[in-house]
């Protein structure tokens, strides 16, 4: 069984539109009809476990075993090619992210945020089958039935299946359109990230149609027009996860702060710094133990933790949210680069905000073969997209690059590639690129 489909979006979408039966679905997913029947109807297809929610309670996860997961991943490829992402949907959509979701509300004065209750379990088998049978897909019942059987477990959409997010987005398309229209009518902006819905305004107060304050419970609730649209589309609003945030509050959307700038939480920054400090002070082994004891709250099916990858991952989040030229990101990256000799973080971006560590990472020493007569040395600089750049007259004979100020005794043999002006050149195709 192949792991992925080899076709691009256009042929996949065209093939999806011609589906008529289960056999056609099997052919599209590049498996035999017998294989599809076997993996759909065997007794044990999923492993079930619980994860703790941040706000308390448990979330039930149904994760498919490998053969069915491969089938679902292939179908996810097809559905991603078919799904015409609505502009308000930012979760599990191509080119969208928590960052794009938060940016839509940047600069707002006030926002309403709420969750849809039991998001995936609410989407039952009948809704999934009707999705494929109705507009705009109009697939025959045999094909729609097979697709729903692949996507559902225990007659609902399972949290943990590769197909669940895109199917949920397709199901929510009508609700997204209706909430977007309502938001526009009230001079507001609407986005949805999976089950997390945000409506914001640049005015000082949200219209009553969007949010109202319940004097009896002393809580904000979604306005009647918002609630009516949500209920009409088969969902319900979580009663304890509705909030209205003003500029004076900590405006947070999908884990990111949006005022006064787009940012990660302070706790996240402190943890990233603490991990690097522990690594610098005690070394990787003791730092890992410190991290597991004090900071690691993430639940995993497997208890293996890679401390280096965790620290590097936090740097990537900082870069993704705050930007490549951000002072904090460059500072953390510089400290990480010094600690991890095997880190794949070349080329180094040097900006006006760069720390000493980053500058040191970008400077290289070029040396000719020491056994050759008149061997010379020169300086090169790491340049994104090119490798190491230096003057052309330095590129003679066998060439070695090193950073004696960071990694004494290590040298790397490089090949020379002419580039641009005859007075310049760059060095690439490293035999042992660090």
């Amino acid at each position: 069984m192949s792991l992925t489909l080899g076709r691009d979006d256009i042929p996949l979408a065209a093939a999806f539109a011609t589906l008529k039966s289960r056999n056609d679905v099997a052919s599209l997913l590049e498996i035999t009809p017998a294989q599809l029947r076997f993996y759909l109807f065997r007794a044990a297809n999923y492993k079930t476990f619980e994860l703790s929610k941040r706000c308390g309670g448990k979330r039930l996860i149904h994760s498919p075993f490998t053969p069915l997961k491969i089938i679902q991943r292939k179908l996810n490829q097809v559905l991603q090619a078919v799904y015409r992402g609505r502009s308000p949907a930012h979760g599990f959509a191509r080119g969208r992210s928590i960052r794009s979701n938060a940016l839509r509300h940047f600069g707002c004065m006030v926002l309403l945020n709420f969750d849809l209750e039991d998001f995936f379990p609410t989407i039952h088998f009948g809704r999934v089958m009707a999705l494929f049978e109705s507009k705009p897909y109009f697939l025959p019942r045999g094909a729609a039935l097979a697709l729903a059987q692949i996507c559902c477990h225990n007659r609902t959409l399972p949290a943990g299946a590769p197909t669940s997010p895109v199917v949920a987005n397709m199901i929510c398309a009508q609700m997204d359109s209706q909430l977007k229209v309502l938001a526009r009518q009230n001079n507001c902006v609407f986005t949805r990230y999976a089950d997390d819905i945000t409506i914001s305004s640049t005015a000082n107060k949200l219209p009553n149609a969007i949010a109202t304050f319940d004097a009896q419970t002393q809580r904000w609730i979604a306005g009647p027009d918002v609630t009516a649209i949500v209920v009409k589309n088969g969902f319900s609003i979580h009663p304890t996860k509705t909030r209205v945030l003003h500029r004076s509050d900590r405006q947070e959307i999908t884990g990111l702060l949006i005022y006064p700038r787009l940012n990660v939480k302070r706790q996240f920054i402190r943890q990233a710094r603490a991990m690097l400090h522990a690594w610098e002070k005690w070394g990787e082994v003791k730092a890992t133990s410190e991290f597991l004891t004090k900071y690691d709250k993430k639940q995993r099916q497997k208890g293996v933790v890679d401390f280096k990858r965790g620290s590097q991952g936090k740097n990537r989040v900082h870069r993704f949210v705050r930007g490549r030229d951000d002072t904090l990101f460059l500072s953390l990256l510089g400290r990480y680069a010094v600690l991890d000799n095997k880190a794949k973080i070349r080329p180094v971006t040097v900006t006006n905000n760069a720390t000493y560590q980053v500058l040191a990472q970008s400077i290289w020493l070029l040396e000719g073969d020491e056994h050759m007569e008149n061997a010379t040395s020169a300086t090169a600089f790491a340049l994104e997209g090119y490798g190491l750049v230096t003057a052309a007259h330095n590129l003679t004979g066998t060439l070695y690059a090193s950073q004696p100020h960071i990694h004494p005794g290590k040298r790397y043999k490089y090949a020379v590639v002419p580039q641009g002006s005859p007075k310049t050149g760059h060095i690439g195709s490293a035999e042992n690129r660090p």
Side-chain angles (χ1 to χ4, degrees):
M1 185 189 300
S2 60
L3 300 181
T4 59
L5 301 176
R7 287 181 281 180
D8 295 330
D9 284 358
I10 294 177
L12 285 176
F16 177 85
T18 64
L19 294 176
K20 291 182 173 57
S21 65
R22 178 184 294 150
N23 289 356
D24 292 338
V25 173
S27 177
L28 175 60
L29 301 180
E30 298 177 356
I31 57 177
T32 66
Q35 285 177 313
L36 181 57
R37 285 194 301 271
F38 176 78
Y39 291 121
L40 279 182
F41 300 117
R42 70 175 186 172
N45 260 337
Y46 289 82
K47 53 184 174 183
T48 302
F49 54 94
E50 290 182 335
L51 292 179
S52 298
K53 298 180 181 179
R54 288 182 301 172
C55 55
K58 299 288 185 179
R59 177 179 285 108
L60 197 61
I61 304 297
H62 301 283
S63 179
F65 288 116
T66 300
L68 181 57
K69 183 177 289 187
I70 292 173
I71 293 173
Q72 290 177 338
R73 283 176 178 168
K74 290 180 177 182
L75 180 55
N76 181 55
Q77 278 185 262
V78 176
L79 297 181
Q80 290 286 359
V82 170
Y83 172 59
R84 297 291 181 264
R86 302 279 178 172
S87 58
H90 290 258
F92 310 103
R94 290 177 178 176
R96 305 293 181 85
S97 64
I98 57 172
R99 187 176 190 275
S100 66
N101 184 57
L103 278 174
R104 288 288 291 122
H105 303 279
F106 184 74
C108 72
M109 294 297 295
V110 59
L111 64 86
L112 165 71
N113 180 260
F114 63 87
D115 284 3
L116 300 177
E117 191 170 18
D118 295 328
F119 184 54
F120 286 128
T122 299
I123 303 173
H124 54 74
F125 184 90
R127 293 182 71 179
V128 177
M129 187 170 172
L131 165 72
F132 296 120
E133 283 187 299
S134 58
K135 183 181 179 180
Y137 309 113
F138 296 117
L139 295 182
R141 176 157 292 243
L145 176 62
L147 293 171
Q149 288 170 336
I150 294 172
C151 295
C152 293
H153 173 62
N154 290 340
R155 307 292 295 180
T156 64
L157 212 57
T163 45
S164 292
V166 66
V167 171
N169 278 343
M170 296 166 81
I171 290 281
C172 289
Q174 178 176 274
M175 181 182 69
D176 289 344
S177 294
Q178 293 170 352
L179 286 175
K180 182 178 179 180
V181 170
L182 176 65
R184 280 184 173 177
Q185 290 172 345
N186 288 274
N187 297 316
C188 295
V189 174
F190 155 71
T191 64
R192 179 181 59 82
Y193 191 97
D195 62 343
D196 191 310
I197 288 178
T198 305
I199 302 176
S200 68
S201 173
T202 55
N204 292 321
K205 181 182 178 182
L206 289 170
N208 290 334
I210 304 299
T212 59
F213 187 75
D214 189 339
Q216 184 175 357
T217 62
Q218 292 295 298
R219 287 183 175 180
W220 285 98
I221 59 174
D225 292 9
V226 172
T227 303
I229 291 174
V230 170
V231 172
K232 183 179 179 180
N233 283 276
F235 295 100
S236 59
I237 297 174
H238 199 292
T240 62
K241 293 185 179 181
T242 301
R243 54 186 182 165
V244 170
L245 300 175
H246 297 81
R247 281 277 180 91
S248 57
D249 305 311
R250 188 179 69 167
Q251 290 183 329
E252 176 187 333
I253 300 174
T254 49
L256 299 182
L257 304 178
I258 64 168
Y259 182 78
R261 59 165 292 178
L262 193 66
N263 205 352
V264 295
K265 295 180 182 178
R266 184 168 297 180
Q267 180 183 3
F268 187 91
I269 297 173
R270 287 173 176 169
Q271 188 178 118
R273 285 174 171 160
M275 290 174 69
L276 289 170
H277 175 73
W279 193 355
E280 291 164 340
K281 185 176 181 180
W282 299 312
E284 183 184 348
V285 175
K286 190 172 180 181
T288 301
S289 176
E290 176 87 355
F291 171 71
L292 291 174
T293 303
K294 292 186 177 181
Y295 302 108
D296 186 39
K297 306 300 181 184
K298 184 177 180 179
Q299 288 188 304
R300 300 176 178 87
Q301 288 181 259
K302 299 180 180 178
V304 180
V305 176
D306 190 322
F307 180 81
K308 287 183 179 180
R309 288 185 62 185
S311 181
Q312 188 179 39
K314 290 186 182 299
N315 287 341
R316 288 173 176 169
V317 172
H318 281 110
R319 180 184 66 183
F320 177 67
V321 175
R322 297 170 64 106
R324 294 176 64 93
D325 294 337
D326 179 71
T327 304
L328 174 63
F329 162 66
L330 293 171
S331 173
L332 296 175
L333 179 66
R335 292 171 65 184
Y336 178 85
V338 172
L339 291 166
D340 187 0
N341 294 338
K342 297 181 180 179
K344 296 181 179 179
I345 50 178
R346 309 309 193 264
V348 177
T349 300
V350 178
T351 70
N352 293 333
N353 295 324
T355 62
Y356 165 78
Q357 292 93 334
V358 173
L359 289 169
Q361 285 288 320
S362 69
I363 300 173
W364 290 74
L365 176 64
L366 304 182
E367 298 175 288
D369 194 321
E370 60 186 9
H371 300 295
M372 294 182 64
E373 188 177 356
N374 299 324
T376 61
S377 62
T379 304
F381 302 92
L383 183 62
E384 183 174 7
Y386 290 90
L388 302 184
V389 177
T390 188
H393 65 263
N394 296 324
L395 308 179
T396 57
T398 304
L399 198 64
Y400 295 89
S402 64
Q403 290 183 299
H405 53 296
I406 299 178
H407 308 302
K410 290 187 177 182
R411 297 206 310 171
Y412 305 92
K413 187 177 180 181
Y414 276 72
V416 177
V417 182
Q419 178 73 18
S421 165
K423 294 183 179 182
T424 64
H426 78 268
I427 310 160
S429 305
E431 295 181 5
N432 295 293
R433 185 182 295 267

